[in-house]
Amino acid sequence: MSHKFYKVVHFEFVADYTLKIKFDDETTQTINFLPVLKGALFGPLQDVALFNQVEIDPEVQTLVWPNGADFDPETLRNWPKYAEQMKQMADKWAKLTTETA
C-alpha cells in the first residue's frame, strides 16, 4: 500500500467549520470539519475563533491550528474516503475526553 504525498496550496472559508482546500495536483475538497472536532486535540476547534486561525504550515504543507491540531494532507485530499472513519474516531476521542474529565 502506498501513501501519496499531497500539499495544501490554498484554502478558503466557505462557512463556519467548512473549508474549500486546494491541493498541488489542482484538485479541491470542501470539508465540514465540525463532525470530527471532538476530543482533547480537535475539540477546542469547536471555538470558531480558534478554528478560524487555521494556516498552511510552510514546512509540511498541510492545515494546522495554533493548538497543534493538523490533518494529513492525503486524508484531506481524499476526505470522502476517510470521513466516516474520522467521525467514528472523533466519537471515541470524545468518549475518552469525558471519561477522563
Side-chain angles (χ1 to χ4, degrees):
M1 178 189 307
S2 67
H3 182 89
K4 293 202 174 194
F5 293 95
Y6 298 99
K7 295 178 182 177
V8 174
V9 296
H10 181 76
F11 70 88
E12 61 186 73
F13 293 93
V14 176
D16 285 349
Y17 312 107
T18 303
L19 302 175
K20 182 176 181 180
I21 307 162
K22 183 176 179 182
F23 300 89
D24 60 336
D25 66 350
E26 299 297 319
T27 60
T28 61
Q29 198 64 255
T30 301
I31 301 172
N32 175 0
F33 287 91
L34 191 57
V36 299
L37 300 183
K38 299 176 183 177
L41 183 60
F42 295 105
L45 298 178
Q46 289 181 19
D47 175 349
V48 75
L50 180 59
F51 182 88
N52 288 345
Q53 293 180 45
V54 63
E55 297 180 339
I56 298 173
D57 182 282
E59 186 176 330
V60 295
Q61 295 293 145
T62 194
L63 301 178
V64 296
W65 284 266
N67 71 334
D70 67 358
F71 290 91
D72 181 336
E74 195 273 337
T75 300
L76 296 172
R77 162 65 170 70
N78 296 300
W79 192 259
K81 176 180 170 181
Y82 297 110
E84 184 56 34
Q85 179 184 358
M86 292 295 295
K87 180 171 180 342
Q88 289 173 5
M89 288 189 330
D91 290 341
K92 288 179 185 177
W93 299 329
K95 186 177 178 183
L96 288 173
T97 302
T98 57
E99 288 175 356
T100 59

